[in-house]
Amino acid sequence: SGEAVAFWGESGGMYASRRPAGSSFGAPVLISTNGDGASLPQVSMTPSGHAVLVWRGDDNADNDQVYVSVKKAGESTFSSANQVSTESFPTPNVDPHVDVADGGTALVVWKANTIDDDDKSSRVRQRYVNTHGNVLGGGATTISPGSANGDQFPDVAVGPNGHALVTWTAGDSITGDPATYWQGPANATPDLQVFNTNSGSSIDGAVDSAGTAVIAYRDGASIIGDYRPTGAGNNFIFDQAIDGPGSSFAGPEMAMDAAGRATVVFEAFSGGQWHLQTVDRPAGNSSNFGTTTEDTVTPSASITNAKVAVGAGGGVILSWEREDERFYATSRDAGASTYAP
């Protein structure tokens, strides 16, 4: 719809601002104080303007918890803060993430330390939130099986109709394994997979309207693309090397348009410099990734923090940081095969 929401933290708490389509951002609104520990804001929005905010806040017992607030489609006000997590250790709940189905039901995931300040005891937990911002079900659910070095870097992608994919790293960021937890709407027929790569972090995913999930991750010296057909009993089994020329790769990041076409971006080192490479996967339940291309980005001594955003209609925006500590961007129109300078 063109509506936007910004969400951030200040010393006084968490603030949000709404920008109607074709207008400007309004005055900041205090969402919650949550003590001095309020931080880690994230916002997700449906095409109709239903927005879901999550953050890490301090409850009245000096415990860090995950909180949520929503702005319904067509409305301008945000709901009061609701607590999502319920653990009682001093630092149990960190790194919250959220994504929302077109109908407004959201899935919140976070890293929870099950023993006080012990990172090796961390687990990935999740909880559904309804359109009013109220938590659903009997409580938070632990979805990671646990590992000797804990579970790190959770993220979540929810498809338009509520299918979801949670990703994380089982173990540390150097030798851990990418992990996925696919589920139908409302946690139907969940499927857990942990990939034995010993390659650390870096996995990203997306889910289309039918529930087909697509992922990209780093495995040793390669970037791998994979997909999982929708439904119970399926797995990611179509491993495909999607990196182009280069001796080292970083990333990847992925986004998907409304039709289900996925675009992956990652950094590649070759010829003594860093480059950006992208690859697309057509929509559908049985499609492989296409040809990886080098983008019209000036090779640099350093390219980091590559990100990709894809509009519902298929337009793509890439952004990245260079050694001059500036951010750069390029775009590709829907249906185009090359990026602008």
Side-chain angles (χ1 to χ4, degrees), residues 164-314:
L165 181 73
V166 183
T167 59
W168 68 92
T169 298
D172 58 49
S173 61
I174 305 300
T175 62
D177 300 318
T180 64
Y181 185 89
W182 182 94
Q183 55 199 297
N187 192 226
T189 61
D191 174 68
L192 168 72
Q193 277 189 263
V194 180
F195 304 99
N196 186 25
T197 68
N198 298 317
S199 295
S201 57
S202 299
I203 179 172
D204 201 12
V207 185
D208 68 13
S209 59
T212 297
V214 185
I215 58 173
Y217 61 94
R218 182 167 48 86
D219 183 359
S222 295
I223 301 293
I224 301 297
D226 207 339
Y227 68 93
R228 179 197 187 281
T230 189
N234 292 318
N235 285 305
F236 290 98
I237 57 175
F238 305 101
D239 291 346
Q240 179 184 354
I242 58 174
D243 48 76
S247 58
S248 183
F249 301 92
E253 294 282 334
M254 178 189 296
M256 182 181 283
D257 67 16
R261 179 181 180 180
T263 298
V264 181
V265 62
F266 49 91
E267 301 113 33
F269 185 78
S270 65
Q273 292 182 306
W274 284 93
H275 309 248
L276 274 190
Q277 294 179 359
T278 62
V279 59
D280 298 308
R281 179 188 180 273
N285 207 27
S286 59
S287 301
N288 290 324
F289 288 83
T291 303
T292 301
T293 61
E294 187 113 338
D295 297 314
T296 54
V297 172
T298 302
S300 305
S302 174
I303 291 180
T304 57
N305 294 322
K307 303 291 183 183
V308 57
V310 178

Side-chain angles (χ1 to χ4, degrees), residues 116-161:
D116 184 10
D117 293 327
D118 181 5
D119 224 23
K120 292 185 177 182
S121 71
S122 61
R123 300 292 183 267
V124 176
R125 308 198 79 193
Q126 70 173 31
R127 200 167 189 184
Y128 281 90
V129 175
N130 67 15
T131 57
H132 302 286
N134 300 318
V135 293
L136 298 174
T141 301
T142 298
I143 61 173
S144 61
S147 70
N149 292 311
D151 296 298
Q152 328 290 335
F153 316 118
D155 205 354
V156 58
V158 177
N161 293 324

Side-chain angles (χ1 to χ4, degrees), residues 41-62:
Q42 192 177 75
V43 57
S44 183
M45 182 180 275
T46 71
S48 63
H50 182 94
V52 184
L53 318 177
V54 295
W55 67 98
R56 173 184 174 180
D58 189 354
D59 66 14
N60 293 329
D62 291 326

